[in-house]
Amino acid sequence: MTAAVEVDRAIPFERLELGAGAWVDVARGWLAGADELFEHLRDEVPWATNRLFRYDHFVEERRLGAVWSRGAPLPHPALADATRALQHRYRVEFQSFGMIQYRDGRDGQAFHRDTDMRWLDDTVIAILSLGARRPWLLRPRASRHDHSDGKGAVHDLAPGAGDLLVMGGRTQAEWEHSVPYLGARPITPRISIQWRHARRTGRPFVGARYDAPLRYGRS
C-alpha cells in the first residue's frame, strides 16, 4: 500500500523576517507522502543537463533539471493540488514550475539571486524539497564578497522531505541563497520543485546574465 501524496493544510507556516521587506516562510512536513513523490519524479521525469552562457562560453550546470508548463501533462497528479494551494495562499498564479535534481554532494548551486525573473522587488518563490536533507543557505547581498568558510551565510534552513520554503517580498533583491557543494561524501539525491512569480514593481534587473541563452540536453 502506497502513501497518499497530498498537501497537509493543517501544517503551520513560520515566517522568518529578513528586514527591508524580505521574508521566508517555512512549513515543515507540508507535503505528506513526499518519499513516494520523490521516487516517482526521480524515475519518470526526463531529466536533462543545462548549459548556461557565461560571458564568452557555455558552462554545464552540476545538477539536473526539468520544467513543467501549463498545458503539458503533470509529472504527478499531486502537483496540481500543491500548485492550487500555493496560488490560494499567496494570491498569485503560476504558469509553470521547475524541478532540480541534486544527484549527490558533487551537485549543488553557489550563492545567487534569481535575476532571470527581472522584477526582484516583489517576488514569490516556493520551493518544495524531496529526498535527502541538504544545507540551504541564506546570506545578505552585502556579504557577496565574503570568502570565509561560511561565505557570509546567516541562516541554514536545511529542508527535509516534504518541507516547503517560500521566499517573498524583496528577498531576491536583498538576499542570496545556495545549496552548497558537499564533495564526494555519500549523500542520496535531493529533488526540489520551484514555483516562481514576480510582480512588475520597481525597476527591472538589467545585467549580463538576464538574457543569456539556455541550452538543454538529455543527460
Side-chain angles (χ1 to χ4, degrees):
M1 181 177 180
T2 59
V5 182
E6 59 187 7
V7 173
D8 186 345
R9 286 172 169 78
I11 293 295
F13 281 64
E14 297 182 4
R15 177 157 295 189
L16 174 63
E17 295 285 359
L18 300 173
W23 49 265
V24 178
D25 284 348
V26 182
R28 303 288 183 186
W30 183 74
L31 188 82
D35 290 343
E36 181 177 328
L37 179 58
F38 167 81
E39 293 175 1
H40 178 87
L41 297 181
R42 180 197 60 197
D43 297 339
E44 301 298 331
V45 166
W47 298 101
T49 55
N50 297 337
R51 299 182 69 209
L52 303 177
F53 191 77
R54 292 291 179 260
Y55 306 108
D56 61 353
H57 65 286
F58 283 96
V59 177
E60 186 171 287
E61 290 186 312
R62 287 164 56 183
R63 54 183 187 158
L64 302 178
V67 176
W68 173 84
S69 296
R70 186 160 292 186
L74 280 164
H76 191 284
L79 294 175
D81 186 45
T83 301
R84 286 192 296 266
L86 291 168
Q87 291 181 148
H88 177 76
R89 182 176 184 89
Y90 292 100
R91 299 293 189 266
V92 297
E93 185 174 357
F94 298 111
Q95 299 295 326
S96 63
F97 57 75
M99 294 169 283
I100 295 173
Q101 181 182 166
Y102 302 92
R103 294 160 290 188
D104 54 32
R106 290 167 291 200
D107 285 357
Q109 200 168 18
F111 275 107
H112 67 286
R113 300 180 296 159
D114 288 359
T115 55
D116 61 305
M117 299 177 73
R118 289 198 70 193
W119 307 89
L120 306 182
D121 287 344
D122 190 1
T123 63
V124 175
I125 302 177
I127 302 170
L128 175 61
S129 188
L130 307 169
R133 186 182 300 274
R134 290 277 298 263
W136 197 95
L137 307 180
L138 274 169
R139 73 178 181 188
R141 182 154 167 75
S143 298
R144 62 189 180 276
H145 301 303
D146 190 322
H147 299 297
S148 65
D149 288 344
K151 300 187 184 302
V154 295
H155 299 288
D156 180 3
L157 301 182
D163 290 351
L164 178 74
L165 309 178
V166 183
M167 295 183 285
R170 287 183 52 79
T171 304
Q172 297 309 305
E174 304 293 344
W175 290 73
E176 298 180 335
H177 55 285
S178 167
V179 179
Y181 301 96
L182 300 176
R185 70 182 75 172
I187 298 172
T188 54
R190 171 181 180 257
I191 291 173
S192 68
I193 306 170
Q194 313 90 38
W195 294 261
R196 307 194 306 165
H197 176 85
R199 295 184 176 90
R200 294 189 168 223
T201 61
R203 298 179 60 184
F205 173 84
V206 177
R209 294 175 57 181
Y210 160 61
D211 58 354
L214 177 63
R215 292 185 177 178
Y216 298 92
R218 292 295 299 274
S219 60

